[in-house]
Amino acid sequence: MGLIRSPESDPILVDFASEIGSVGPVVVRGGGTHWDLGGGSDPAAREVRPPEGIVGIRAEEMTVEARAGTLVSELHEALRPFGQRTSLPESPGSTVGGTLAVGWSGIARLGRGQTRDSVLQVHYVSAEGRLITAGGPTVKNVSGFDMCRLLVGSLGTLGCMADMILRTRPIPEVEVWHRVVDVDPAEVLRRCRTSASILWDGRSTWVLSAGYRADVDSDLRALSELGSLRPDHPPDLPPIRWSRRPSDLFDMSRADAAVGRFVAEIGVGVVHTENPVEPSPPSPGTVALQRRIKDALDPTGRFNPGRRVGGI
Amino acid sequence: MDLGLDRSELDACVSCGLCLPYCPTYRVTGADIYSPRGRIALMRAVQEGGAPLTDEVVDSFETCVQCRGCEPACPSGVPFGHLIESTRESLVEHGHRPPLRLRVALHALGHHSLLLAGSSGIAVAQRLHLVPKGLPLPAKLPVRRSRLDASGDDVYLFTGCVMDAWQRDVHAAVKRVIEACGFGVSPTGGDAACCGALHQHAGLGDDARAQAQRVVDSLGDTKVVLVDSAGCGAAMKDYGRLLGTAEARAFSERVFDVHEFVAGHVDGLPGVEPLDLRVAVQDPCHLRHVQKAHMAVRSVLKPFVREIVELDDEGLCCGAGGAYSVVQPELSHLIRDRKTAAVEEVAADVVVSANPGCLLYMRQAGVVVAHPMELVARALDA
Amino acid sequence: MFGTRLRKTRPHAGDDRCVADLVAALGVERVRSDGAARLLASTDASIFRGGAAGPVCFPDSTPQVQACVRIAAVHRRPVVARGAGSGLTGAAAPLGSAVVVSTTRMNRVLEVDVENRTAWVGPGVINLDLTHHLGPHGLHFAPDPSSQQVCTIGGNVANNSGGPHCLAYGVTSAHILAMEVVLSDGEVVMLGGLDAEPAGYDLRGAFIGSEGMFGIATRIAVRLTPDPPAVRTLLLSFADVDSAAATVGAIIAAGLVPAAVEMMDRRCVEAVEDFVHAGYPRDAEAVLLIDVDGMAGGVEAQATKVDEIARGLGGRVRVAADEEERQLLWKGRKSAFGAIARIKPDYYLHDTVVPRGKLVEVLRAIHEIVDRHGLLVLNVFHAGDGNLHPIIAYDSRQPGMSEKVREAGREIIEVSLAAGGVLSGEHGIGVEKRDFMPLMFSDDDLDQQARLRGAFDGLCMMNPGKVLPSPHSCSDITELTEAKGDLWG
């Protein structure tokens, strides 16, 4: 018998598992902030709400355990007194579980890290209705295969996440947004080591500089040599999001009508645009492999039917 | 089968593998069987596990360059050089003798006048184009050698066997530098001709001990013995262990690499204009890994050249390995290719090597190489 | 490249046809089937000695790896990939006379893309060689296992390797973007991608840490990390282990994220100091080796804070004066496992992770366990993330000793897990810890992992018998441990 606290001992998880059950199409709905992703869900699937609430903040371990239905904003609010937060991006109404299911990182990933890397442990319900533990509670762990990474970005098609332990990070001493116009964004990336985010719309570059005050100040001095630097708020992001190699972003042009208005995450490769763009095709040979993974973990295809992940 | 290996020396290896990248044969093959860890595992298998001495096992042992680059990399202090020497000696006892031509050559090393005459003969033949190309010989052996007269009685300069025959110019340069430091030099000459290192590496333990004893006997006073060949110096510093006598231990205490000695007197040398050269230092394995005297080369050379650069290969062997390039030409060439690539990287005017074997072997690959003392002597005379 | 050197091989009884096919596909110089080569491919750096290698192949291209896998499938032989053999759990020790695929010849850095901070490398590239190669660009590969001078990037991927500086920079999984992988059916797939967010399931994430059981990576795209402009190394010494552990907790609690926080106890310090002569204090009961890096201001602020915390808890502080001293101190830390042989000929170690707040409690419990068994333990570990490496030094020739050591090991795992920890922080499971997996995972959990494995390797031929205990392993482990034929036949 295991020495780790079993999820079966947690009545909230047990209730959630029994609600998911072992038969019939089912989908877990968090904040629904990206509900149309992957073509949306089959209306025939039963909607289940995930459990909510913060289970425990372990500030000295720099970890936090929360139910999947907890709002990210609420989680970060609770962590703030400890001077910590997670890598997860906040958008109004988004939940921790939903954010992991989507898998996207926030615009400040250069400084705050990627969503996928922040997940330490997940309790989820399998297609057979069993409570499963993936990963472990500590900040470092290679025991067994990495089911956590697989669940992040799987849009709820492999298992129904119930709660999770996330790594937290200290909130930097200083975080400030500035804007500079008509400079090479690559140069901004080179000069500003404290940049947690660099956004570029083809003309303006917004920089979130974060770190120790002395370092942020010295970076801002270096940036002001490029052009006039003004405190600003980050720009609104156009609705469509796609992904490229970081260097591809520099080729983008405001004149490209097909793209429309865009905001590019410099040094990352994500671009937010007005108009949809053809997504990159899945890597060769992986469609069959992804299909096998789906079939192995959800043999009857009951999880989030209709929703497409990648090429399947 | 008993390889005569000390159990506790074998036990010191915990198979962590940290030695692997420092082994030239592993570096060029990527095969465990050509690694120190692999060789130790095979020693154990043969001596303690009842494994047969197959051709492949023998091959694993015989392909070791004995550069001892693995020793400083080993956190547990496995005395690999000793293990492989003992193993090679046991191989010879079990009938795995070195090839005949090597045995003949090694035999000649102990007979200095024969060696000198033979070398001159080959030199003449070279000039008559009678010597096939591709033999592991310098391109142009000297037909005649300048005399190397004693200039005093302060220190011995060990002249050795092959080096005396092929590179007496280097001895002359070394002598020049030591004299400039204010010491009278007594070259050792014929009686103490060969240090026996090559015999020892080939597993010919009895021959090695006989040579060593001759050297100890013929240099039996209290003068320090300076050596300008890193391989010889390393062997002579180890006579105490090899011969196991108090006399040999006392002798080994008196042996110094010439750079160690000059480094202690470099302030006494006259200030001269440095040579306008960018010099890359190639550390002979037995200077770096065994004598650990390689930094002395730099401190001696520094005042006399414009710039010293390091090779970015962490002191990996050049492949010469005494007679290694003769008996294992294939691996030896692969190892040298790595070295020449590292040399090309640094774009130096000249490479210095404090060991005649390395020097000749790299020269054959088209690298411009000098003994460090040659550069110092040249700077002093300029 | 190898020329005739690998040709001195004799076919092995029982391997004949498999070997003949491999030779036909790869060339005689890339296949060895002699007893010596197979003996050496049967072990890694762990104490596991139950491995049994079949023919050992040295492919230098993806098609050659494909050929190895396909031929092995035809002859119903397992396939085990092998890098430097520096693993600590027996994960690379082949079972069932597997065809061993050595990646050491696929050791080229194929492409460095400075602008995108990525590089494509062969799986056989040595971790530290890659970092040296990147030096001129001011970049490095962040995972730095203690074995980094020998371990390969392919091995790092297989084990999701960590290292001291993973405290701030994250483990291998955070530094791999894409991999070309040969699956057990011989197909080649590209997992992940160079895009910021490749589409589909995170197959790359699932593959990393799969210990060679999902496939063989033949090309790897790594993320490159800019070298920090400033680094400061502090050596803190303490009169007792508790104060050192309390210092670690206080540093983390103060919101600092040093690049590395490593602890060594007195016995360990003595062993490494005998090797490196770095001036480690022999009179301290515990030392902490701490790197703070980043920009000058942050480095100064963090170093000041660490200094203050350490002194407040009775520690002495020494700051490395220059890069040479810094390197020497780190060389000592990274040589610790090997240096143990200066004390006893064998060592057995675990690498459980415990909550940082439980370090003192768990270390005490470990000492109690070891004392009770009359054994000797040395502690050297990644204190910053609670990743313990208790090393039991012993002499396996003493009767009953190995059993005693294993029993103590089991108890160490039990106290670690009971404290809210996990089985392995960075070494992986392999064979050595395979049977401890049920202490951490339920049957249902293991079943999910086995299904994932089955999706990658439906034939169950990639490194079978590792990680998953019976009955979750698709191979019969007892059958696998029996070698086919005599090694020296």
Side-chain angles (χ1 to χ4, degrees):
Chain A
M1 192 49 228
L3 290 165
I4 298 280
R5 183 174 55 92
S6 163
E8 308 281 352
S9 66
D10 184 336
I12 292 176
L13 297 184
V14 172
D15 285 352
F16 178 65
S18 64
E19 206 175 336
I20 298 292
S22 58
V23 287
V26 63
V27 57
V28 179
R29 186 180 177 108
T33 53
H34 295 92
W35 195 245
D36 294 332
L37 216 57
S41 192
D42 186 335
R46 185 162 50 91
E47 265 188 31
V48 175
R49 305 295 298 196
E52 294 169 19
I54 295 166
V55 181
I57 294 172
R58 285 161 228 145
E60 73 290 356
E61 300 301 323
M62 303 204 70
T63 63
V64 61
E65 180 167 8
R67 307 293 186 194
T70 313
L71 293 177
V72 178
S73 56
E74 189 186 315
L75 181 72
H76 285 171
E77 199 59 44
L79 284 167
R80 187 164 303 127
F82 300 96
Q84 298 178 12
R85 71 167 157 237
T86 72
S87 303
L88 272 50
E90 279 178 44
S91 58
S94 67
T95 60
V96 173
T99 305
L100 296 194
V102 168
W104 290 346
S105 300
I107 52 169
R109 88 169 77 184
L110 289 177
R112 295 177 194 169
Q114 305 195 88
T115 292
R116 59 182 288 267
D117 295 332
S118 70
V119 184
L120 302 173
Q121 178 184 287
V122 177
H123 286 133
Y124 66 96
V125 180
S126 71
E128 290 74 28
R130 310 289 296 178
L131 271 169
I132 307 295
T133 304
T138 55
V139 290
K140 199 174 177 192
N141 174 28
V142 295
S143 317
F145 302 136
D146 197 348
M147 302 297 290
C148 288
R149 244 43 62 197
L150 189 64
L151 291 168
V152 175
S154 66
L155 296 179
T157 59
L158 301 177
C160 296
M161 290 189 271
D163 81 354
M164 46 279 297
I165 298 179
L166 304 175
R167 178 196 298 278
T168 64
R169 307 165 72 97
I171 297 173
E173 196 174 287
V174 184
E175 286 185 299
V176 279
W177 279 100
H178 283 82
R179 180 160 72 118
V180 58
V181 181
D182 286 337
V183 299
D184 177 3
E187 190 57 29
V188 174
L189 180 64
R190 268 191 292 276
R191 291 202 180 203
C192 187
R193 277 195 74 99
T194 55
S195 47
S197 179
I198 302 174
L199 303 177
W200 179 62
D201 70 355
R203 175 137 191 272
S204 293
T205 305
W206 289 263
V207 187
L208 175 63
S209 180
Y212 288 90
R213 183 168 301 281
D215 298 335
V216 170
D217 287 349
S218 100
D219 269 0
L220 293 179
R221 272 195 301 277
L223 286 179
S224 60
E225 289 166 12
L226 292 176
S228 98
L229 202 61
R230 279 199 306 267
D232 197 3
H233 296 286
D236 288 335
L237 301 178
I240 312 286
R241 174 191 175 106
W242 43 287
S243 156
R244 286 289 183 270
R245 290 162 58 133
S247 61
D248 295 342
L249 303 182
F250 302 124
D251 301 334
M252 297 190 61
S253 157
R254 288 179 358 133
D256 189 343
V259 172
R261 186 172 85 86
F262 73 88
V263 172
E265 297 185 19
I266 300 298
V268 173
V270 168
V271 188
H272 307 263
T273 62
E274 211 65 64
N275 305 326
V277 178
E278 197 60 32
S280 342
S283 303
T286 58
V287 173
L289 179 56
Q290 298 196 56
R291 169 55 60 194
R292 291 203 296 274
I293 289 173
K294 169 72 176 169
D295 290 347
L297 296 177
D298 181 17
T300 60
R302 60 184 295 252
F303 284 157
N304 213 345
R307 186 131 10 216
R308 294 160 59 84
V309 180
I312 68 165
Chain B
M1 180 192 296
D2 186 13
L3 293 173
L5 303 177
D6 182 349
R7 177 75 195 247
S8 67
E9 288 185 5
L10 280 179
D11 280 347
C13 175
V14 292
S15 307
C16 68
L18 292 189
C19 54
L20 266 54
Y22 299 98
C23 173
T25 55
Y26 178 79
R27 270 292 186 177
V28 299
T29 63
D32 288 288
I33 197 154
Y34 300 123
S35 75
R37 176 175 69 173
R39 291 179 175 116
I40 291 173
L42 291 176
M43 289 172 195
R44 278 187 186 140
V46 170
Q47 177 159 303
E48 284 154 24
L53 201 58
T54 61
D55 288 352
E56 294 84 8
V57 174
V58 172
D59 180 51
S60 170
F61 296 148
E62 287 187 340
T63 48
C64 172
V65 195
Q66 294 175 279
C67 69
R68 295 168 69 173
C70 50
E71 286 189 7
C74 175
S76 336
V78 174
F80 187 81
H82 185 222
L83 287 171
I84 193 73
E85 268 170 22
S86 305
T87 300
R88 294 276 268 264
E89 203 170 330
S90 298
L91 289 186
V92 172
E93 283 163 15
H94 288 99
H96 295 275
R97 296 201 295 170
L100 180 65
R101 61 202 167 104
L102 178 62
R103 296 207 306 276
V104 170
L106 291 178
H107 186 71
L109 299 185
H111 299 79
H112 199 57
S113 42
L114 178 73
L115 179 72
L116 294 183
S119 174
S120 297
I122 297 171
V124 171
Q126 276 181 333
R127 281 154 183 80
L128 298 172
H129 304 286
L130 295 175
V131 179
K133 288 205 165 43
L135 284 182
L137 291 172
K140 209 170 182 188
L141 285 173
V143 179
R144 273 190 215 91
R145 282 160 288 268
S146 53
R147 291 170 58 90
L148 203 61
D149 293 325
S151 60
D153 205 22
D154 298 322
V155 297
Y156 281 124
L157 172 62
F158 181 77
T159 48
C161 48
V162 183
M163 191 160 176
D164 196 36
W166 292 358
Q167 296 186 306
R168 197 174 274 176
D169 294 349
V170 172
H171 288 327
V174 170
K175 185 162 163 276
R176 165 81 182 84
V177 176
I178 300 170
E179 286 162 3
C181 292
F183 297 89
V185 180
S186 170
T188 55
D191 283 344
C194 177
C195 70
L198 296 182
H199 305 80
Q200 197 181 350
H201 293 166
L204 304 172
D206 289 341
D207 294 346
R209 283 181 284 272
Q211 295 290 358
Q213 192 60 52
R214 270 178 66 189
V215 172
V216 173
D217 290 346
S218 66
L219 306 178
D221 56 29
T222 56
K223 282 200 288 290
V224 298
V225 181
L226 302 185
V227 188
D228 55 11
S229 154
C232 303
M236 292 162 71
K237 285 180 175 180
D238 196 37
Y239 279 174
R241 190 188 59 78
L242 181 71
L243 297 174
T245 62
E247 179 196 24
R249 277 191 288 276
F251 176 84
S252 288
E253 294 289 312
R254 291 160 48 209
V255 176
F256 296 92
D257 183 81
V258 65
H259 302 90
E260 287 180 284
F261 182 82
V262 174
H265 300 90
V266 78
D267 295 340
L269 288 171
V272 295
E273 186 70 16
L275 301 175
D276 186 21
L277 294 173
R278 179 176 158 90
V279 181
V281 183
Q282 187 273 139
D283 292 324
C285 296
H286 285 231
L287 194 65
R288 176 166 170 149
H289 307 312
V290 184
Q291 299 192 54
K292 299 182 170 57
H294 56 299
M295 294 315 285
V297 172
R298 291 156 178 79
S299 47
V300 169
L301 205 52
K302 198 160 187 287
F304 298 99
V305 299
R306 172 166 52 89
E307 189 184 3
I308 293 179
V309 289
E310 300 291 339
L311 300 180
D312 187 24
D313 64 353
E314 309 210 24
L316 210 68
C317 177
C318 70
Y324 188 80
S325 59
V326 183
V327 286
Q328 302 286 350
E330 199 174 355
L331 280 171
S332 172
H333 284 155
L334 291 172
I335 295 166
R336 185 173 62 186
D337 290 346
R338 277 186 70 95
K339 179 61 79 181
T340 50
V343 166
E344 276 168 30
E345 274 298 292
V346 298
D349 299 313
V350 58
V351 177
V352 291
S353 175
N355 191 53
C358 310
L359 196 152
L360 289 176
Y361 193 54
M362 284 189 289
R363 219 173 251 173
Q364 279 172 27
V367 181
V368 180
V369 198
H371 193 282
M373 285 297 163
E374 290 184 294
L375 295 190
V376 177
R378 203 197 300 171
L380 289 173
D381 290 338
Chain C
M1 178 178 174
F2 287 77
T4 58
R5 191 40 59 196
L6 292 174
R7 252 175 240 158
K8 287 187 177 177
T9 65
R10 275 181 294 181
H12 167 253
D15 276 346
D16 286 9
R17 285 174 46 213
C18 183
V19 171
D21 288 353
L22 288 167
V23 168
L26 272 66
V28 70
E29 72 281 6
R30 293 195 188 86
V31 183
R32 286 197 66 143
S33 61
D34 56 286
R38 291 170 54 217
L39 174 76
L40 300 182
S42 299
T43 57
D44 57 9
S46 73
I47 56 166
F48 177 69
R49 289 292 173 267
V56 187
C57 305
F58 295 85
D60 55 22
S61 68
T62 303
Q64 287 183 1
V65 174
Q66 277 181 290
C68 294
V69 171
R70 288 192 164 131
I71 290 165
V74 167
H75 295 277
R76 298 181 180 284
R77 302 288 287 272
V79 175
V80 178
R82 177 181 181 84
S86 56
L88 292 162
T89 64
L95 303 178
S97 297
V99 171
V100 175
V101 176
S102 167
T103 59
T104 52
R105 293 187 62 184
M106 301 173 77
N107 62 349
R108 278 177 290 277
V109 177
L110 305 163
E111 184 194 326
V112 176
D113 180 346
V114 174
E115 192 174 16
N116 283 306
R117 290 177 184 164
T118 57
W120 279 103
V121 303
V125 169
I126 293 174
N127 175 304
L128 193 58
D129 283 0
L130 174 59
T131 284
H132 281 160
H133 186 91
L134 297 166
H137 303 296
L139 298 168
H140 67 284
F141 180 60
D144 64 335
S146 295
S147 58
Q148 74 177 133
Q149 68 188 54
V150 53
C151 65
T152 62
I153 303 295
N156 295 164
V157 166
N159 291 293
N160 194 7
S161 300
H165 292 80
C166 289
L167 176 58
Y169 292 95
V171 293
T172 299
S173 181
H175 299 279
I176 302 294
L177 297 167
M179 286 163 299
E180 177 188 79
V181 168
V182 175
L183 298 175
S184 62
D185 57 9
E187 290 300 307
V188 176
V189 293
M190 183 64 76
L191 311 183
L194 301 180
D195 284 16
E197 289 168 348
Y201 295 135
D202 185 1
L203 302 174
R204 169 201 54 89
F207 186 89
I208 295 166
S210 61
E211 304 198 16
M213 296 172 72
F214 287 8
I216 300 177
T218 51
R219 279 197 305 144
I220 301 163
V222 300
R223 183 195 301 282
L224 307 179
T225 304
D227 296 342
V231 186
R232 199 169 305 172
T233 299
L234 296 92
L235 181 67
L236 317 181
S237 44
F238 296 88
D240 57 273
V241 175
D242 289 6
S243 305
T247 300
V248 174
I251 288 171
I252 304 295
L256 302 177
V257 184
V261 178
E262 300 287 302
M263 193 192 290
M264 286 193 276
D265 66 11
R266 186 176 51 77
R267 282 199 191 106
C268 198
V269 164
E270 283 174 359
V272 303
E273 181 59 15
D274 285 345
F275 171 52
V276 290
H277 308 293
Y280 273 107
R282 289 173 188 270
D283 58 340
E285 282 302 313
V287 301
L288 293 176
L289 185 63
I290 296 179
D291 259 7
V292 289
D293 71 10
M295 294 178 62
V299 167
E300 183 61 40
Q302 293 189 71
T304 306
K305 190 76 188 161
V306 168
D307 183 282
E308 184 188 310
I309 291 170
R311 286 180 202 277
L313 287 160
R316 283 178 292 157
V317 180
R318 174 179 140 199
V319 180
D322 52 26
E323 183 61 19
E324 196 179 341
E325 184 179 355
R326 208 182 90 68
Q327 292 292 348
L328 201 57
L329 287 168
W330 274 107
K331 184 178 180 187
R333 163 58 190 90
K334 293 197 169 187
S335 307
F337 295 165
I340 301 308
R342 292 174 185 266
I343 298 170
K344 296 271 182 183
D346 300 288
Y347 69 78
Y348 180 59
L349 85 160
H350 279 289
D351 87 310
T352 59
V353 187
V354 300
R356 293 176 266 225
K358 298 278 179 70
L359 274 176
V360 173
E361 173 189 326
V362 174
L363 284 171
R364 279 194 191 142
I366 288 173
H367 276 280
E368 185 274 320
I369 291 165
V370 170
D371 288 348
R372 182 156 39 75
H373 288 282
L375 296 167
L376 184 71
V377 72
L378 293 87
N379 280 296
V380 44
F381 60 97
H382 310 305
D385 36 33
N387 189 182
L388 299 172
H389 291 326
I391 307 172
I392 302 176
Y394 69 107
D395 184 345
S396 58
R397 285 166 299 180
Q398 292 177 358
M401 188 55 86
S402 297
E403 292 71 25
K404 219 194 273 189
V405 167
R406 262 194 281 279
E407 178 52 31
R410 162 176 277 274
E411 290 179 34
I412 288 172
I413 285 174
E414 285 172 353
V415 299
S416 300
L417 295 187
V422 301
L423 199 44
S424 173
E426 57 181 14
H427 298 168
I429 302 300
V431 267
E432 278 202 344
K433 291 173 235 168
R434 179 189 68 203
D435 296 335
F436 295 124
M437 284 286 275
L439 294 176
M440 187 168 160
F441 293 109
S442 71
D443 277 348
D444 288 331
D445 301 342
L446 293 171
D447 175 58
Q448 290 276 304
Q449 295 187 30
R451 291 189 201 191
L452 177 60
R453 197 266 162 124
F456 274 90
D457 174 17
L459 300 171
C460 197
M461 59 178 276
M462 307 306 287
N463 202 11
K466 311 293 167 61
V467 182
L468 299 174
S470 286
H472 301 283
S473 173
C474 50
S475 295
D476 187 332
I477 290 166
T478 48
E479 189 180 292
L480 280 173
T481 50
E482 283 168 24
K484 291 181 182 169
D486 174 24
L487 200 58
W488 301 98

